[in-house]
Amino acid sequence: MEFVIRIICLFAGYLFGLIETGYLYGKAKGVDIREHGSGNVGTTNTLRTLGKRAGAIVLLGDMLKTFIPAILTWVILHPFFPEMDYIFRLYTAAGVILGHDFPFYLKFKGGKGIACSGAMILSFYWGIIPAEVVIFFGIYFLTKYVSLASIFMYIGFFVQLIVFGQAGILGMTQAQLIEAYIVVFILTVIAINCHRENIKRLFKGEERRTYLRKSKSTERLDMNEEVKE
């Protein structure tokens, strides 16, 4: 029974993940986001292509489409399987990320799942959130590389999950912890793979920075990096 519920959570999450906020928002504005910038339908490319307001809307939309089904999973299943809370929520969130990254109706070319992953972390366990905020925003504000911050956010989540799990803070059995480690490890590998071109550019010093506010000097730098990209 619990195996079937895992599959249902994964499939239901995938359906939520198919709500490609960036693609749908762009279409509403008469723009196919896939034909601009990096061609990605996520928050960063939307921000660069359509502006800060669009980026904020897409970020919120992608987070909500993960957070809401994860919480619904808890509300619906907790009364019957309280000991499986973390596992079922994790499968639902994983499904959303897979749907977002690999939507069948966009030829399996979606986003990179970072906003969705952030919402997964928010819905998982509150104690993990502070360090993740520090990791992501610390690296971003130091480097202005969203890709680098995203990769380290994932690695940080994986490490914290192991630390909190082995410390007994999550109240999960060892079998459940190992299962959670495997799921998050797979998601981390997928996230790193989705960023493989970014990683190549980072090593070459050609990765494009993302600025929330641009001075004239940063605009010139951004234009140079766009040409390289």
Side-chain angles (χ1 to χ4, degrees), residues 59-134:
L59 173 64
L60 181 61
D62 285 346
M63 292 189 74
L64 285 176
K65 76 181 184 185
T66 310
F67 188 81
I68 290 174
I71 296 303
L72 283 176
T73 298
W74 177 79
V75 171
I76 295 170
L77 296 177
H78 176 78
F80 307 100
F81 304 95
E83 74 285 356
M84 297 295 290
D85 274 348
Y86 289 114
I87 294 295
F88 290 155
R89 270 183 283 160
L90 198 55
Y91 273 92
T92 299
V96 177
I97 293 168
L98 292 175
H100 177 82
D101 290 359
F102 310 108
F104 71 90
Y105 67 97
L106 295 180
K107 299 180 180 179
F108 299 99
K109 295 180 180 179
K112 297 177 181 177
I114 299 306
C116 297
S117 300
M120 173 183 68
I121 294 170
L122 288 175
S123 67
F124 189 76
Y125 178 66
W126 69 268
I128 290 176
I129 297 172
E132 289 300 285
V133 171
V134 171

Side-chain angles (χ1 to χ4, degrees), residues 48 145 197-209 221-222 224-229:
R48 290 170 175 169
Y145 291 133
E197 294 302 322
N198 304 85
I199 294 171
K200 291 177 183 178
R201 290 194 294 269
L202 282 166
F203 277 112
K204 293 178 181 179
E206 298 175 353
E207 175 69 336
R208 186 177 176 184
R209 292 176 173 85
L221 180 59
D222 196 37
N224 291 335
E225 291 173 340
E226 187 172 359
V227 170
K228 289 180 182 178
E229 190 176 280

